Amino acid sequence: MPAYANFPAYAGHPSRAWTTPADMHDGNYQHAAGTTLNYLEHVQSQPADGHRFARHMELCSLGRAGWADGRGFYPVRERLVDGFDNGQGGSGGDGEGAVLLVDVGGSTGHDLMDFCAAYPCLPGRLVLQDLPVVLKNAGRLDPRIDVVEHDFFTAQPVIGKSSLIPPLHTTHPLPPLHNEHRKKVTSPF
């Protein structure tokens, strides 16, 4: 909450004149929290806060329709499955053990667990990606989910025809993303 209270003074300062910060390590959050870390770095640097943040992300999705929960919000079969070949003779040519879906910045895996529950027989591997400090809080996951440590500000390690869930679909309070950072996060999408 300190960042909300600090915002008018920060943004209205004559040196900023209500413009978007040019440096993701020198924004309103950093001034309010007394740090140079971006929000995600800062919350993960405090183990208790990191755990609370992961649980918050899980709770945000309770009671609301998920993007692929089987209730028709997203056409999973038409957009992800049709034409996908997991080495089982389909037409997609993806090959043995191909990745069907990657959840980038997927926290503790709640979205992929919902996906597994809604679609228990889909082909292909599922990949959960997040920072090591976040993934250590993941509980027991479906055996179809591979856990991969990954910082979404770095190059995407899963290359190919798989579908990626970008981290920007969530309620993450992402730091201000400027051209160089936005390109890093969204380049595979």
Side-chain angles (χ1 to χ4, degrees):
M1 292 306 199
Y4 291 114
N6 186 64
F7 184 74
Y10 170 80
H13 190 275
S15 68
R16 291 180 199 66
W18 298 93
T19 59
T20 301
D23 180 355
M24 67 185 283
H25 295 282
D26 186 29
N28 179 52
Y29 180 80
Q30 289 73 29
H31 284 260
T35 182
T36 57
L37 300 174
N38 70 48
Y39 177 78
L40 294 175
E41 292 168 337
H42 190 238
V43 76
Q44 297 306 329
S45 72
Q46 310 294 321
D49 289 344
H51 182 74
R52 282 192 292 270
F53 179 73
R55 295 300 164 242
H56 165 77
M57 294 306 296
E58 289 176 22
L59 292 173
C60 282
S61 64
L62 289 179
R64 63 178 197 177
W67 69 271
D69 65 3
R71 293 185 260 180
F73 180 82
Y74 181 83
V76 171
R77 290 218 178 270
E78 295 83 3
R79 299 259 176 102
L80 295 179
V81 181
D82 290 351
F84 180 82
D85 179 10
N86 187 35
Q88 308 295 321
S91 62
D94 301 288
E96 185 66 36
V99 174
L100 174 67
L101 186 65
V102 181
D103 190 354
V104 181
S107 188
T108 56
H110 47 275
D111 284 343
L112 285 181
M113 289 296 287
D114 289 346
F115 186 83
C116 288
Y119 301 97
C121 298
L122 289 182
R125 296 174 25 236
L126 306 173
V127 178
L128 169 64
Q129 294 179 341
D130 214 314
L131 299 172
V133 68
V134 175
L135 293 173
K136 75 177 183 178
N137 291 315
R140 187 173 174 184
L141 297 172
D142 187 287
R144 294 176 289 167
I145 300 173
D146 295 336
V147 176
V148 176
E149 296 177 356
H150 176 61
D151 176 349
F152 60 62
F153 288 114
T154 63
Q156 175 53 246
V158 178
I159 306 298
K161 295 181 181 179
S162 58
S163 295
L164 300 161
I165 304 173
L168 305 178
H169 84 287
T170 67
T171 57
H172 283 216
L174 286 171
L177 298 175
H178 302 285
N179 291 337
E180 70 207 55
H181 301 294
R182 189 173 311 280
K183 286 177 189 171
K184 287 180 185 176
V185 173
T186 60
S187 62
F189 312 106

